[in-house]
Amino acid sequence: MKPIFVFFVLMSGVMSFGQFKESMGNTLSPHEGITVKDQLENASCFKSEGAVFFLFRAFLQHGQLDPNVIENMKKGRSAMFYLPDIYMVPCVKCHLSPKEQVNIVVNGLYEVRYETVFVKIQASGKWGTDKSSNCEYLKDYLKALGSRGKKHGIIANAMIWRKLFGSGCTLTDLDTRILWEHHDGKTDFKQYIPFAGYTNATRKEYDGPVSQCNMNIGKLVYYW
């Protein structure tokens, strides 16, 4: 039997994670979500499978707004999901600064609502060998998001973090969010290894890519 979810909708539209959490007190419960980087065809199919939110790719590694993201976000909202999150893949070696990359996304998505902007850390993302410089670059990225009034986070794990940034690079002073990427097929956090200064996490991409609703997607669990 598929899980049954109760949806809370504000008069202004879809309820945000923060508003939902406030309405429910401090008890944390698991909620399933979907990572989408291709064109979304059937948002209602994912809803019927038990997902209640999306994480959409918004910025491509070569420095452009994802051509699918606006339409994907509109389709997701029409299916009455919670406000989606979005993620950016940094263009580390291109001519655009972190601030310029952030502005492309924020300005390009002015007509749609979303919750958090995550920066996806990829080992293949053309990062340099100087871990300290990598750390400063990422912090500039997150500060740029904060300066535009956006909640922000990173998608990573301890292995990638140590390789690219080192254990001395911490983000706790920036109040960023952690989305732990660990594809073990489980929705728990028993194998979580601290990184970026965070001893625990409440968000996880636990599987992917997998085929669902005729799409290749990632599977998420958020606790709120």
Side-chain angles (χ1 to χ4, degrees):
M1 179 181 294
K2 294 186 176 66
I4 298 175
F5 295 91
V6 179
F7 290 83
F8 293 81
V9 182
L10 298 179
M11 292 180 64
S12 60
V14 181
M15 179 178 279
S16 73
F17 296 149
Q19 291 163 332
F20 179 84
K21 183 176 178 181
E22 289 177 3
S23 74
M24 297 299 290
N26 294 322
T27 301
L28 298 181
S29 301
H31 297 78
E32 294 272 344
I34 301 296
T35 303
V36 174
K37 64 178 182 179
D38 298 315
Q39 186 175 5
L40 181 64
E41 297 294 342
N42 190 351
S44 296
C45 177
F46 292 107
K47 180 179 177 181
S48 70
E49 292 291 333
V52 297
F53 68 93
F54 281 119
L55 170 64
F56 292 116
R57 185 177 65 184
F59 191 74
L60 303 175
Q61 188 174 339
H62 57 265
Q64 292 181 330
L65 193 70
D66 190 303
N68 296 317
V69 65
I70 293 177
E71 191 62 26
N72 282 352
M73 292 172 75
K74 289 179 178 178
K75 289 177 180 177
R77 182 166 182 178
S78 70
M80 295 181 64
F81 285 72
Y82 292 102
L83 283 177
D85 287 339
I86 61 174
Y87 73 91
M88 303 176 64
V89 182
C91 184
V92 179
K93 294 298 185 181
C94 71
H95 64 283
L96 298 168
S97 68
K99 182 178 180 179
E100 289 170 326
Q101 294 176 48
V102 166
N103 286 341
I104 288 173
V105 170
V106 175
N107 296 340
L109 301 183
Y110 71 92
E111 62 180 287
V112 287
R113 296 176 62 202
Y114 49 94
E115 179 81 3
T116 301
V117 184
F118 286 95
V119 180
K120 184 175 178 65
I121 309 302
Q122 298 183 151
S124 60
K126 298 183 179 180
W127 294 88
T129 58
D130 187 324
K131 295 179 180 180
S132 178
S133 295
N134 290 344
C135 182
E136 289 305 311
Y137 181 93
L138 178 58
K139 287 185 175 183
D140 286 345
Y141 224 106
L142 298 173
K143 289 175 183 177
L145 286 164
S147 71
R148 294 299 303 268
K150 301 303 177 184
K151 298 174 185 177
H152 52 74
I154 59 169
I155 304 173
N157 57 48
M159 183 175 67
I160 292 176
W161 192 261
R162 288 195 297 264
K163 178 180 178 180
L164 297 179
F165 307 102
S167 58
C169 180
T170 61
L171 304 177
T172 50
D173 59 321
L174 299 179
D175 194 28
T176 201
R177 300 177 176 190
I178 299 295
L179 200 171
W180 179 39
E181 188 173 43
H182 185 65
H183 294 171
D184 60 354
K186 301 176 182 179
T187 58
D188 62 57
F189 292 77
K190 294 179 181 179
Q191 297 184 42
Y192 178 79
I193 299 174
F195 65 96
Y198 288 84
T199 57
N200 54 58
T202 58
R203 300 168 178 85
K204 179 182 180 182
E205 184 176 83
Y206 66 90
D207 207 356
V210 296
S211 179
Q212 190 176 83
C213 299
N214 297 316
M215 290 187 67
N216 287 325
I217 52 91
K219 302 194 77 172
L220 302 160
V221 62
Y222 284 13
Y223 280 76
W224 77 76

